[in-house]
Amino acid sequence: MSRILSFIVALMLLFTVFLIVSASISPMDVILGLVASIVVAAFTSTLIIREAPQKALNVTRWAWAVLFFLYYILVMEPKCHWDVIKRILHPKAPIKPGIVRVPYKVRSDYAITAVACSITNTPGTVVIDVDEGEKKRYYVHWIDVKTMDEERCYEMISKTFEYYVRKVFD
Amino acid sequence: MRLREVAIGIMAATLLFAIMLAVTLGGTGWTPSTEIRPLAKFYLENCFNVFNKDLWAASPEAVCAMLWDYRGIDTYYETAVFFLAVIGGVAIFRVAEIKISVTRERQRGLSIIVKSVSRIVFPLIVITSASVAFHGHLTPGGGFQAGSILAIAPLVLIAAFSRHFIEEDLRLTKDKCLTLRTVGLIAIALIVAIPILAGAMALMQNQVKPWSHHFSYPEALGPLWLAGSLFFYNVAEYLTVGAGFTLLFLLMSIPEEEFRRILKL
């Protein structure tokens, strides 16, 4: 059952991308897109979906994803950009770069990836490596190391991301 | 040190200024005219001329029509040369069995972040390449380009996971690639030969020509615009090139130590 559901979810994703890439919804593209998507989904559905596929069909998760995206683009990104712009234009260039440990509490692969990408995409912080072993944590390069304490780092860097990402992926 | 940097800066600026001057003063030599030249006109008139189908190729994509219809034999030999190159690659890397220890290989690959992204990107590259292949006779692109895009997908997986992941988890072995490639080339050969078998006068005949009234590939199949044989050529070439490049990438990603071990060097 979950195998079939995985296939359907993969099919929907691939079919949508096919139509976007083709930039057309003519009958020809719908037919060819379905054929291609079915073939590709048959091979790759287990590659895309590793856990419960019903998560991808959950409307609440999608709503949280949209909310996260809007909040991320409209609030968090400009804030971080402004911070880095100030540092660049400041005559003394007040930076204190360093690599800190940031623990993570999300569980699934995609959640870990989403949080890492969110951290990297905001200016000022870059995820360099991730430790998936006993100590679950990221190694983050920070333009202005304010603290070395792991929990404090978590609160300052990734807490908000994790809050949203957990609602979307976990 | 400081002087050197200043000197480099001045030199770079002088070079840029010289290029800018040359471009602004029109010193780039002869520029093609904006009018349609006779040769281009000929091609345009004969690719998708719905009013006079005597010489048409049923395809609005002039480049694709030229590639497969006007100079199809050339393209066929090009594909054959590439096939021989792959065969040569297989012959050079002719180690029959590569058994990399599975447990060691499982823990390899890049971090979970790269792996998760690659999991999504892989199918998307494949579906994008399929779109390019299916529209080769309508828009820029076509079989070779789509096949090249397709081959990038396994390359991403080789980098993010390992070669082993492709062969074991996706079950895409080099033998399967070779089979797929051969099937593609045979398909092209069949599409080439069918007009002759059906009584036409020319190999690679796409549409009926004034001197050959016997055979024509269908222009369209219901809502599917096929442009005669061009669609089939593109799909076959897509498989051929995609599988060929994947095969080469798989061969090239065998670690050197494995060769040394097997060849007992």
Side-chain angles (χ1 to χ4, degrees):
Chain A
M1 185 58 208
S2 102
R3 190 78 202 271
I4 298 167
L5 209 58
S6 294
F7 174 77
I8 291 168
V9 170
L11 183 70
M12 279 159 57
L13 171 72
L14 291 168
F15 185 57
T16 316
V17 172
F18 186 95
L19 292 185
I20 292 172
V21 171
S22 309
S24 149
I25 46 165
S26 64
M28 172 172 171
D29 285 305
V30 172
I31 295 170
L32 289 178
L34 269 180
V35 172
S37 306
I38 287 170
V39 173
V40 179
F43 283 111
T44 60
S45 66
T46 49
L47 191 72
I48 307 175
I49 293 149
R50 307 246 288 153
E51 295 175 40
Q54 54 270 20
K55 276 187 196 172
L57 301 171
N58 189 329
V59 183
T60 333
R61 286 176 189 276
W62 279 96
W64 274 105
V66 173
L67 194 69
F68 178 41
F69 179 76
L70 290 177
Y71 184 63
Y72 186 88
I73 291 294
L74 296 177
V75 180
M76 296 165 102
E77 275 273 335
K79 245 162 68 181
C80 292
H81 270 284
W82 180 239
D83 183 64
V84 174
I85 288 168
K86 272 195 303 194
R87 283 174 209 284
I88 293 167
L89 296 179
H90 197 286
K92 282 181 187 156
I95 56 168
K96 192 188 166 201
I99 297 170
V100 292
R101 299 193 192 98
V102 180
Y104 62 83
K105 281 144 189 152
V106 285
R107 194 184 44 78
S108 67
D109 289 3
Y110 281 144
I112 296 170
T113 308
V115 171
C117 291
S118 305
I119 293 173
T120 301
N121 199 40
T122 47
T125 44
V126 176
V127 174
I128 291 165
D129 201 359
V130 53
D131 187 353
E132 306 156 49
E134 288 295 298
K135 302 161 181 151
K136 294 180 179 305
R137 62 196 177 190
Y138 302 115
Y139 293 90
V140 178
H141 181 274
W142 201 357
I143 198 169
D144 181 43
V145 178
K146 293 196 180 74
T147 171
M148 301 282 277
D149 181 55
E150 294 190 14
E151 277 307 313
R152 289 275 297 139
C153 283
Y154 169 74
E155 271 168 33
M156 293 176 85
I157 295 175
S158 65
K159 196 181 176 187
T160 333
F161 298 135
E162 292 217 356
Y163 172 74
Y164 286 97
V165 165
R166 206 175 296 139
K167 304 260 189 197
V168 180
F169 288 111
D170 263 2
Chain B
M1 197 62 205
R2 192 80 197 196
L3 197 70
R4 209 181 119 153
E5 278 166 20
V6 172
I8 291 174
I10 290 172
M11 272 159 68
T14 317
L15 185 66
L16 271 178
F17 185 69
I19 293 171
M20 207 178 71
L21 212 62
V23 172
T24 334
L25 296 181
T28 49
W30 180 79
T31 333
S33 70
T34 48
E35 287 147 34
I36 299 173
R37 279 168 289 157
L39 184 64
K41 208 168 169 186
F42 171 79
Y43 280 131
L44 286 174
E45 275 174 2
N46 293 318
C47 283
F48 201 61
N49 191 348
V50 284
F51 305 109
N52 177 11
K53 295 186 178 179
D54 274 357
L55 287 172
W56 86 328
S59 163
E61 230 295 84
V63 175
C64 179
M66 268 173 238
L67 212 74
W68 285 115
D69 209 355
Y70 281 97
R71 27 168 289 189
I73 304 281
D74 189 17
T75 308
Y76 183 73
Y77 282 127
E78 246 169 54
T79 309
V81 165
F82 181 52
F83 186 73
L84 281 180
V86 172
I87 296 283
V90 175
I92 291 170
F93 292 89
R94 64 180 174 285
V95 186
E97 287 293 315
I98 294 283
K99 286 257 181 279
I100 301 166
S101 104
V102 178
T103 45
R104 197 179 53 138
E105 196 62 29
R106 281 259 181 261
Q107 292 148 4
R108 286 202 179 166
L110 300 176
S111 75
I112 189 171
I113 300 165
V114 184
K115 281 182 179 171
S116 300
V117 173
S118 305
R119 279 177 195 287
I120 305 177
V121 168
F122 174 80
L124 299 191
I125 294 174
V126 176
I127 203 78
T128 307
S129 69
S131 171
V132 173
F134 290 156
H135 294 89
H137 57 301
L138 299 174
T139 55
F144 196 95
Q145 288 78 354
S148 310
I149 300 172
L150 175 67
I152 294 303
L155 195 61
V156 165
L157 286 193
I158 290 174
F161 291 83
S162 74
R163 173 180 193 282
H164 200 81
F165 182 82
I166 293 184
E167 294 214 308
E168 290 290 310
D169 294 38
L170 287 185
R171 299 209 183 79
L172 185 68
T173 56
K174 63 183 172 66
D175 292 342
K176 271 188 196 162
C177 288
L178 198 60
T179 313
L180 208 61
R181 206 194 136 67
T182 314
V183 166
L185 203 70
I186 291 172
I188 294 179
L190 278 179
I191 304 164
V192 168
I194 282 174
I196 285 282
L197 299 177
M201 302 296 279
L203 275 174
M204 304 200 93
Q205 178 172 319
N206 178 2
Q207 299 292 315
V208 169
K209 296 288 183 309
W211 58 85
S212 161
H213 289 289
H214 297 287
F215 180 82
S216 161
Y217 277 101
E219 293 162 13
L221 206 70
L224 299 184
W225 186 266
L226 297 177
S229 56
L230 301 185
F231 177 81
F232 303 112
Y233 279 135
N234 273 334
V235 173
E237 175 85 359
Y238 167 58
L239 280 183
T240 313
V241 173
F245 273 127
T246 306
L247 178 60
L248 287 181
F249 290 149
L250 280 176
L251 288 175
M252 286 193 284
S253 57
I254 300 172
E256 191 187 338
E257 303 96 75
E258 293 298 318
F259 278 118
R260 290 184 173 277
R261 197 174 53 73
I262 291 164
L263 299 175
K264 298 193 176 60
L265 283 173

